[in-house]
Amino acid sequence: MKLLAIDSNSILNRAFYGIKLLSTPDGIYTNALVGFLNILHKLMADVKPDCVAFAFDLKGPTFRHKMYDGYKAQRKGMPAELAQQLPRIKEILTLMGYPILEVQGYEGDDILGTLAANCGEGDQCVIATGDRDSLQLVRENVTVLLATTKAGGAMYTAMTPEAIQEQYGIAPHQLIDVKALMGDSSDNIPGVAGVGEKTALSLIQNNGTLDAIYENIENIGLTPGVRNKLQNGKDSAYMSRDLATIRCDVPLPMTMEELAPRPMQEGELYDLLVSLHMMKHIEKLGLKPSDSAKQQTLQAEAPVFTLGVDRPLPDWGKATLAVAAEYGQQGIDVLAVAADGTVALWNNPAPELVQAVCALPNAKITEDCKALYRAVLPCNLSNVSFDTRLAGYLLAPDANDYSVLRLAEECSLPTPVLEGETPPEAALRAAQLAALAEHQKKRLEENDQLKLLGEIEIPLAKVLADMERLGFAIDRESLTAFGKELDVEIERLQTAIYLSAGGEFNINSPKQLGEVLFERLGLPTRKKTKSGYSTNAEVLESLSSYHPIVENVLEYRKYTKLRSTYVEGLGKAIGEDGRIHSVFNQTETRTGRISSAEPNLQNIPVRTELGAKMRGFFHAKPGWVLVDADYSQIELRVLAAIANDTKMLEAFATGQDIHTNTAAQVFGMPVEFVTPLMRTQAKAVNFGIVYGIGAFSLSKDINVSVAEADRYIKNYLKTYEGVAQYMEKTVADANRCGYITTLFGRRRYLPELKSSNHNLRAFGERVAMNAPIQGTAADIIKIAMIRVYDRLKKEGLQAQLILQVHDELIVEAPEAEAARVTEILKQEMEGAVQLAVKLEVDAGSGKTWGEAH
């Protein structure tokens, strides 16, 4: 028999802190549940146990508290966000058919120890935990899996007697005596005062047991200091050993045979996970709706469709068409259209048929109109009236799956019935689209977001699809030559680093680099992690004046990143047409910004000489130029307008330099006395305020004391009273309703504001201040893109919009059209929205992106 025994409180705790705070739209926290189930799925797949037991701690004192009043006395209570999830994980596990073990007066560790002890010869026990306390239980047939969790998945390390011997130099049971000597700060086990882990390990390695140490304390070669500590702390050591020893005789409420999993209560578990918006776990468990849900489905009268395969184009009259598709390398592999109780399905449809369907004047509901636009461009997809993917994003911007069937399941919509052959999924999705769209439309109406969907997101999808199709030309030869230049510089830096270090090592290994810097060269340590010394950029920058190796390592990292991310990454992405076709994600960011991937063209460095050189490799085709237009300080202008701050509005209206003006106000001096350094500091304050910056972060950004940075912020808010009032009101509003909105109705939900954790709550408040500004700016650039795209088409120009980078648009245009395109960009971007402050756009042109920017 193989038993999997799970330290449930430990795993749940690690899951909670390992995954960012997640919640359902109605405020139920789920991050610990998600992380716990991620680990459980992996454990079940890897261990393949016959029996499973989940050990939980119970509230109330244990025998250890009675033995020592101070046991775990310093422990803070469980955060409210985690406590809320504890009963839910027990409910989920019970519905999954797993036994839960809790015994009053004992801890979960003692239950694990008893389970391990009950595994006889021929049995195997695997203990999954996030704590090292259980390592004392390891023996030939007992393995401990030390688990970690994060958003990307679960990992664990197998600890066997051999692994413990290799890591600690002792047998598993000897770890009890090590803890008796060194204590345990997390459990408030005192140990022997002044004896740390290194000394404790050495004493047990050399003497075997705690008893042997005290029986021979005068004869085992101890220094007087260590001997005195041990003698003075003898009673504490033995008490600590009792506290640290896991009990293996707990009266369990179940026999080993009763730990075999029972059948899942599928319907009830399905309902619970749906209510928690944990759709991926429903998929992993292969769950189906409960009888009550099926009854609701019957009451809701599931729509019935007739399936027609590879049929001629039907006459749909004026019916609304619900369109779903499967895509391949050559375009659309499967096309499904639902209307009037029929699903028309075509496998490998001819391009002419796809074009005919897309060109119909009927209103169309789509599941991902950008993908459909991309498949049919440069021909037309007419009259997209609703898109469920974009609607799902507006309703839940934190989600990561906007597929039709998942959204329909989440909304408890009845599954359509298709009469005919076994339908492919595309047909089922098409049949589901109309009901899903109707459900989403009602919710968008309640949120006042229909206009945001119909006038911004759906038209933008066509623009993005065309930008993806067109791509951006890049000079492969120049890029390759640049890579060779970087290789020479990387080799030079590598040689210099080895020379300073006194030998070769793996510069890319934080562990080896940390050993070189802090042990071999003796530089002052700044931060230590569980895996060793921290060597992140912040740490290295603080050490740059101590030794030339540090500056060389920073430069080495910069050049290797340029080579791997940009030279190699971009090189692999160049298509047969010599252009890079980035994917523009419309439903990825919580702020509403468009992101770029495969490759990320929005991440080309801007302010460095090397970044400028990279932009020089992107070029217009022969006889054409690039016209680049960029909003000037758009987020500050949006802030001035939203906050209705009279001083900031006046500064923009009269053409003052906002950063110089802010410096004069913050530092209390005439504008003409403001130095470049003061302007730079004021600029950091201006943009920092937009992001809800605190004094500590600002002090690091502009290299002043925290007190000085705090004074700058207070002076700023005293000067710009409208901004101060806006921040206060926005946070209050967000606390009241749980979300913020942009000027155009985009929402960002903020569960962090309800957190009992100060840092999370403070993060939520910063987001509440910033998100309306950043989100409104993102909406404005989207409106500008649609206007520019439509205007170029309306005027019959050949010029094409090919790239958006945050507040910047790039159009590729014939040389003869450059002047007109510049005018259009300025007019449409500046006129995208009417605010209390004028939007301003800077534009330039050139043969390359570098020249135009």
Side-chain angles (χ1 to χ4, degrees):
M1 180 195 71
K2 183 188 282 187
L3 169 69
L4 173 61
I6 295 177
D7 185 354
S8 305
N9 287 81
S10 169
I11 297 294
L12 195 67
N13 199 57
R14 286 202 172 256
F16 177 75
Y17 288 106
I19 294 179
K20 71 174 186 176
L21 205 60
L22 302 173
S23 73
T24 63
D26 49 352
I28 298 172
Y29 294 103
T30 58
N31 57 317
L33 306 179
V34 169
F36 191 102
L37 291 182
N38 283 343
I39 282 189
L40 179 57
H41 290 313
K42 182 169 174 58
L43 284 169
M44 295 301 292
D46 293 351
V47 177
K48 297 180 175 62
D50 304 304
C51 298
V52 186
F54 291 84
F56 279 91
D57 297 333
L58 281 174
K59 278 187 176 180
T62 67
F63 70 91
R64 293 182 179 86
H65 293 90
K66 296 173 184 176
M67 187 188 306
Y68 175 51
D69 287 343
Y71 183 66
K72 294 189 177 180
Q74 86 296 354
R75 283 270 181 102
K76 293 180 180 177
M78 185 182 288
E81 300 82 8
L82 175 56
Q84 185 192 93
Q85 298 178 68
L86 184 58
R88 285 197 173 88
I89 195 63
K90 291 180 183 180
E91 186 181 359
I92 289 170
L93 294 173
T94 301
L95 292 174
M96 289 176 77
Y98 294 125
I100 287 174
L101 299 180
E102 302 168 308
V103 181
Q104 196 68 53
Y106 295 92
E107 295 180 53
D109 284 348
D110 300 311
I111 295 171
L112 298 175
T114 304
L115 290 168
N118 289 347
C119 282
E121 190 176 339
D123 294 334
Q124 190 178 352
C125 178
V126 179
I127 296 172
T129 179
D131 295 332
R132 295 181 176 273
D133 295 344
S134 295
L135 294 182
Q136 62 181 268
L137 301 172
V138 170
R139 58 181 194 267
E140 285 309 314
N141 69 331
V142 179
T143 300
V144 166
L145 301 180
L146 284 176
T148 58
T149 187
K150 55 185 181 179
M155 299 184 298
Y156 46 75
T157 304
M159 300 301 289
T160 60
E162 295 75 21
I164 289 173
Q165 180 67 43
E166 183 180 343
Q167 186 167 341
Y168 297 103
I170 54 176
H173 69 273
Q174 292 177 293
L175 289 167
I176 302 170
D177 287 356
V178 171
K179 187 172 282 194
L181 292 168
M182 66 179 277
D184 183 345
S185 60
S186 67
D187 289 340
N188 207 34
I189 296 175
V192 174
V195 173
E197 181 178 10
K198 191 174 180 182
T199 301
L201 264 174
S202 176
L203 286 167
I204 299 302
Q205 287 166 351
N206 294 328
N207 300 283
T209 65
L210 187 68
D211 291 338
I213 292 169
Y214 278 106
E215 286 168 7
N216 301 285
I217 196 162
E218 300 291 344
N219 305 312
I220 54 177
L222 299 175
T223 65
V226 172
R227 185 167 58 249
N228 287 339
K229 289 173 184 175
L230 290 171
Q231 288 171 332
N232 293 334
K234 183 176 181 180
D235 290 345
S236 181
Y238 277 97
M239 180 189 69
S240 297
R241 185 172 70 174
D242 289 342
L243 292 171
T245 301
I246 291 175
R247 295 285 293 272
C248 296
D249 57 353
V250 175
L252 298 179
M254 293 183 181
T255 65
M256 296 294 280
E257 290 71 25
E258 291 174 314
L259 299 179
R262 297 180 298 279
M264 275 194 290
Q265 298 175 57
E266 292 192 9
E268 292 85 346
L269 183 57
Y270 174 93
D271 292 344
L272 177 58
L273 293 180
V274 165
S275 73
L276 295 170
H277 294 252
M278 294 173 65
M279 310 309 291
K280 282 193 173 179
H281 293 287
I282 287 175
E283 264 180 58
K284 287 180 181 179
L285 294 167
L287 298 174
K288 303 297 179 188
S290 65
D291 289 339
S292 62
K294 287 175 185 172
Q295 187 62 37
Q296 287 175 6
T297 295
L298 290 173
Q299 289 172 359
E301 296 184 0
V304 179
F305 289 83
T306 304
L307 186 67
V309 180
D310 292 333
R311 59 185 292 176
L313 190 66
D315 179 7
W316 282 300
K318 295 182 179 179
T320 296
L321 310 181
V323 185
E326 302 285 351
Y327 302 91
Q329 290 186 340
Q330 303 304 316
I332 293 179
D333 290 346
V334 179
L335 180 66
V337 181
D340 287 341
T342 301
V343 177
L345 180 76
W346 295 276
N347 293 297
N348 300 310
E352 296 78 15
L353 185 140
V354 173
Q355 295 292 349
V357 170
C358 291
L360 289 170
N362 303 58
K364 298 177 186 68
I365 300 169
T366 57
E367 59 177 345
D368 181 358
C369 59
K370 180 166 77 78
L372 195 54
Y373 275 121
R374 175 77 186 268
V376 300
L377 284 169
C379 299
N380 196 27
L381 166 63
S382 69
N383 203 8
V384 175
S385 61
F386 200 91
D387 185 89
T388 58
R389 179 180 180 81
L390 295 175
Y393 171 60
L394 293 181
L395 292 168
D398 290 351
N400 53 21
D401 182 358
Y402 300 106
S403 58
V404 172
L405 299 184
R406 190 198 73 81
L407 290 170
E409 218 170 21
E410 199 172 79
C411 301
S412 299
L413 295 177
T415 303
V417 176
L418 272 75
E419 296 179 342
E421 301 178 24
T422 303
E425 191 184 283
L428 192 59
R429 296 201 310 271
Q432 187 78 80
L433 274 171
L436 176 59
E438 190 60 32
H439 180 89
Q440 290 178 320
K441 186 175 181 181
K442 287 176 184 173
R443 291 181 60 200
L444 288 170
E445 280 177 328
E446 291 168 7
N447 292 358
D448 198 20
Q449 291 181 307
L450 270 177
K451 196 173 178 182
L452 178 60
L453 175 68
E455 296 186 9
I456 296 181
E457 295 297 347
I458 289 176
L460 179 70
K462 181 178 182 180
V463 178
L464 295 177
D466 211 13
M467 286 164 57
E468 290 177 1
R469 179 184 68 86
L470 293 166
F472 200 161
I474 189 167
D475 186 335
R476 187 192 291 272
E477 289 183 9
S478 297
L479 186 67
T480 303
F482 181 54
K484 290 177 181 175
E485 289 176 31
L486 292 177
D487 286 338
V488 171
E489 191 59 22
I490 289 166
E491 192 173 337
R492 182 191 70 76
L493 288 164
Q494 189 172 269
T495 302
I497 291 167
Y498 291 158
L499 191 62
S500 294
E504 293 189 8
F505 68 99
N506 183 357
I507 305 169
N508 298 314
S509 163
K511 187 173 185 296
Q512 292 185 34
L513 178 61
E515 288 169 359
V516 167
L517 296 180
F518 305 116
E519 293 178 11
R520 194 183 301 177
L521 298 179
L523 300 186
T525 58
R526 292 285 189 260
K527 195 191 300 181
K528 233 183 167 185
T529 64
K530 287 182 180 177
S531 55
Y533 302 100
S534 173
T535 58
N536 63 25
E538 183 184 356
V539 168
L540 293 187
E541 282 162 9
S542 73
L543 296 170
S544 58
S545 61
Y546 285 85
H547 197 289
I549 191 175
V550 178
E551 195 60 46
N552 284 333
V553 169
L554 286 167
E555 286 291 293
Y556 172 86
R557 285 183 176 177
K558 181 172 74 177
Y559 283 107
T560 52
K561 180 177 175 60
L562 271 170
R563 180 184 62 187
S564 61
T565 303
Y566 300 113
V567 176
E568 294 172 8
L570 292 176
K572 290 174 185 173
I574 300 174
E576 291 180 7
D577 57 357
R579 299 173 77 91
I580 288 178
H581 298 268
S582 182
V583 174
F584 296 101
N585 297 311
Q586 198 174 351
T587 59
E588 187 172 271
T589 70
R590 297 172 73 182
T591 60
R593 277 187 178 272
I594 302 160
S595 65
S596 164
E598 304 175 39
N600 183 358
L601 293 185
Q602 295 181 335
N603 206 28
I604 304 292
V606 179
R607 295 179 180 84
T608 64
E609 185 182 335
L610 289 168
K613 194 166 187 177
M614 289 294 304
R615 289 184 172 226
F617 302 142
F618 290 88
H619 62 86
K621 52 192 171 186
W624 291 48
V625 294
L626 300 175
V627 184
D628 186 316
D630 199 351
Y631 277 115
S632 172
Q633 301 167 336
I634 186 171
E635 290 189 354
L636 286 178
R637 291 172 188 271
V638 169
L639 173 61
I642 288 181
N644 195 27
D645 189 286
T646 52
K647 285 190 178 176
M648 197 175 279
L649 288 171
E650 183 187 355
F652 280 122
T654 55
Q656 298 173 39
D657 178 273
I658 189 68
H659 303 311
T660 302
N661 193 63
T662 298
Q665 301 282 355
V666 168
F667 295 111
M669 60 178 59
V671 168
E672 53 269 22
F673 288 103
V674 171
T675 66
L677 176 60
M678 288 176 179
R679 184 186 183 278
T680 299
Q681 290 176 329
K683 184 176 180 179
V685 178
N686 267 328
F687 287 114
I689 289 293
V690 173
Y691 287 88
I693 200 167
F696 179 73
S697 297
L698 180 62
S699 70
K700 290 166 70 177
D701 288 350
I702 61 177
N703 199 26
V704 297
S705 69
V706 175
E708 203 170 349
D710 185 57
R711 190 168 68 252
Y712 291 169
I713 292 173
K714 285 176 178 170
N715 286 347
Y716 179 97
L717 295 175
K718 198 181 295 181
T719 299
Y720 298 114
E721 291 180 0
V723 172
Q725 290 166 9
Y726 154 77
M727 289 178 161
E728 191 176 324
K729 182 179 183 303
T730 301
V731 172
D733 289 347
N735 269 305
R736 180 173 44 79
C737 62
Y739 60 85
I740 60 85
T741 58
T742 69
L743 283 183
F744 299 91
R746 187 180 306 278
R747 290 187 180 186
R748 177 163 179 182
Y749 294 90
L750 295 168
E752 297 88 353
L753 290 172
K754 296 178 184 176
S755 174
S756 60
N757 180 287
H758 170 76
N759 291 333
L760 274 176
R761 208 164 52 250
F763 168 77
E765 289 176 356
R766 289 196 300 274
V767 173
M769 297 175 207
N770 163 248
I773 309 302
Q774 195 180 61
T776 296
D779 289 338
I780 290 171
I781 193 75
K782 288 180 173 181
I783 294 168
M785 291 171 73
I786 297 163
R787 289 171 62 114
V788 167
Y789 183 87
D790 289 345
R791 182 79 176 275
L792 294 174
K793 299 286 183 193
K794 183 180 177 182
E795 295 202 8
L797 299 173
Q798 295 181 63
Q800 299 162 321
L801 180 61
I802 61 169
L803 185 63
Q804 178 264 351
V805 180
H806 306 311
D807 307 325
E808 173 187 2
L809 298 183
I810 300 172
V811 172
E812 189 172 20
E815 291 176 3
E817 294 180 2
R820 183 63 186 143
V821 167
T822 303
E823 288 176 13
I824 289 172
L825 276 166
K826 285 181 71 68
Q827 288 171 8
E828 298 302 339
M829 291 175 73
E830 291 178 350
V833 63
Q834 298 301 312
L835 298 175
V837 60
K838 183 179 182 296
L839 297 179
E840 288 191 1
V841 170
D842 300 318
S845 63
K847 290 287 187 183
T848 69
W849 187 3
E851 288 177 11
H853 185 66

